[in-house]
Amino acid sequence: MTVSPASTSMPSPMSSTTASNTVSTTVPFASFNNNTEQFHRAVRTQLAQDIEMLFAYAELPSPLLDACRYVMTGQGKLVRPLLVASAFDSVHQSNANDNVNRADEYVDKSTDKEAKQIQQNSDLESLLENDSDYDMARRAALAVELLHTYSLVHDDLPCMDDDELRRGQPTAHIVFAESTALLAGDVLQTLAFEVLTAELPTFAPYDSAIASQLIAIFAPRARRMVSGQMLDLNAEASTGISQDDLEAIHRDKTGALIEAAMLMGGICAGATAPQRIALQECAQHIGLAFQVQDDILDVTTSTDTLGKPAGSDEKLDKSTYVKLMGVEQATRYAQSLFNDGRAAIIRELSSRELSGKKDSADTNALLALIEWLWSRKK
């Protein structure tokens, strides 16, 4: 098996592998610790290692394995795994803060001995639960990236958008046979579901209760993503497409998987019902904002920067927000959507001390990711 450079890197600070079947002493995605760049780098490092592990586990034949590795190890933004990790961290930290507040309230009413015993029990529970919850988040991050990449491989095929450049490199059907690219997309889609419950090396055994919730979130949104792609194809060269029509397309085509990523990350961290509502609300705003941004970047950014052909929407006569409302109005709309997404997170997942303050992104992984997405150039 050919091993990519990603698999030969030093172990991530997020895990310490002590046996072929388990992971011990993990720290959730290195924890955000008010450092966006470090956090994102840790997530990408862990994902790269997990991708290599998955392909070793899957034992795919060549050239299928080569094509899968090629498309999964390119220079993608990895937005969806970052959403999983950021949602996981934000919920985890929010709940930890709530537990501390409740413990502080209890300490005021109890003896020092009682408070110490409660803290010891809490620490033990966190230690016992940490590996499984964290590894389920790793599985979720893998799943959303596998599904997303499958959609890109198929989207680039001659029968779809017929693109020759993706993530700064030739598309799969250009490098490999078109049939191989098609099968690569197929197997990435199946692996996206398999990874949630497979007995994988370097992962703790899957948590069946969490896994069932993840599949219940993931499967319908995968279906919606494909439905959205069909609606998008139907809308090509159509006249009279309204903003409502466009949003209906992109809530499924782009937004559904973003919803899945945020909800799956939250579920792995034990999100409460109000937290899940906030995550879904945020994801719906961010999913649309992301698509509006893509439409803007398609006409304002070069091919070299985008890593894919600039102006492809116009070439395919696609219905876009830029075509509908112009660059300036589309930019204002994207900004308002990002603001609405922030508001949902601040309401339920930001610390009480920082709630509503502009600098909340300094201490909340999801708010930091939203800021990073707003400033993206590709």
Side-chain angles (χ1 to χ4, degrees), residues 266-298:
I267 285 168
C268 292
T272 63
Q275 288 171 336
R276 294 187 192 195
I277 291 170
L279 288 169
Q280 176 149 339
E281 181 182 334
C282 175
Q284 289 171 346
H285 293 306
I286 298 304
L288 279 182
F290 193 85
Q291 183 61 53
V292 177
Q293 266 191 317
D294 268 0
D295 290 353
I296 295 167
L297 292 171
D298 188 68

Side-chain angles (χ1 to χ4, degrees), residues 88-366:
F88 179 87
D89 185 86
S90 294
V91 171
H92 177 81
Q93 294 301 328
S94 177
N95 292 345
N97 290 338
D98 286 345
N99 289 338
V100 168
N101 290 335
R102 284 195 293 270
D104 287 345
E105 291 171 3
Y106 185 84
V107 167
D108 291 338
K109 303 174 184 178
S110 65
T111 66
D112 289 343
K113 183 177 181 180
E114 289 173 327
K116 184 176 181 181
Q117 184 61 52
I118 288 170
Q119 186 60 53
Q120 288 175 341
N121 291 341
S122 176
D123 290 345
L124 179 60
E125 289 172 0
S126 295
L127 181 63
L128 291 173
E129 293 172 358
N130 191 44
D131 278 9
S132 177
D133 295 349
Y134 166 59
D135 281 5
M136 291 306 295
R138 286 170 60 199
R139 290 173 185 270
L142 262 176
V144 295
E145 185 60 18
L146 286 161
L147 194 80
H148 175 59
T149 304
Y150 127 72
S151 74
L152 299 182
V153 172
H154 281 193
D155 201 39
D156 291 335
L157 290 171
C159 63
M160 298 282 282
D161 287 352
D162 194 18
D163 277 329
E164 297 183 355
L165 191 68
R166 172 72 70 177
R167 292 174 170 175
Q169 60 186 18
T171 48
H173 68 275
I174 297 298
V175 176
F176 303 91
E178 186 176 333
S179 57
T180 300
L182 180 67
L183 290 174
D186 290 344
V187 78
L188 293 178
Q189 183 188 38
T190 62
L191 284 171
F193 290 89
E194 183 178 358
V195 75
L196 295 175
T197 57
E199 297 296 334
L200 299 173
T202 77
F203 279 76
Y206 74 91
D207 184 305
S208 59
I210 294 177
S212 64
Q213 294 181 69
L214 295 182
I215 292 169
I217 290 292
F218 192 41
R221 286 164 178 81
R223 166 183 49 77
R224 284 175 51 200
M225 182 189 73
V226 178
S227 295
Q229 180 66 65
M230 188 73 255
L231 292 174
D232 189 47
L233 289 173
N234 290 344
E236 287 182 7
S238 297
T239 58
I241 295 290
S242 68
Q243 184 172 336
D244 288 344
D245 295 332
L246 207 52
E247 290 187 358
I249 293 170
H250 295 301
R251 286 190 189 281
D252 285 351
K253 181 189 174 187
T254 304
L257 194 51
I258 286 176
E259 271 184 45
M262 290 182 66
L263 286 169
M264 291 166 80
I267 285 168
C268 292
T272 63
Q275 288 171 336
R276 294 187 192 195
I277 291 170
L279 288 169
Q280 176 149 339
E281 181 182 334
C282 175
Q284 289 171 346
H285 293 306
I286 298 304
L288 279 182
F290 193 85
Q291 183 61 53
V292 177
Q293 266 191 317
D294 268 0
D295 290 353
I296 295 167
L297 292 171
D298 188 68
V299 299
T300 61
T301 306
S302 68
T303 295
D304 287 344
T305 300
L306 283 177
K308 58 183 180 181
S312 60
D313 290 342
E314 185 176 2
K315 181 186 74 173
L316 294 170
D317 201 17
K318 285 185 175 289
S319 299
T320 69
Y321 291 93
V322 170
K323 182 189 288 188
L324 185 68
M325 58 181 66
V327 171
E328 288 187 12
Q329 189 177 343
T331 301
R332 289 194 296 271
Y333 183 47
Q335 176 71 82
S336 71
L337 290 166
F338 276 117
N339 289 341
D340 290 340
R342 286 188 196 96
I345 298 306
I346 289 172
R347 185 181 69 242
E348 285 295 336
L349 292 168
S350 188
S351 67
R352 294 174 185 175
E353 293 78 7
L354 290 174
S355 183
K357 291 185 179 181
K358 187 176 181 180
D359 61 351
S360 297
D362 293 338
T363 59
N364 183 288
L366 264 179

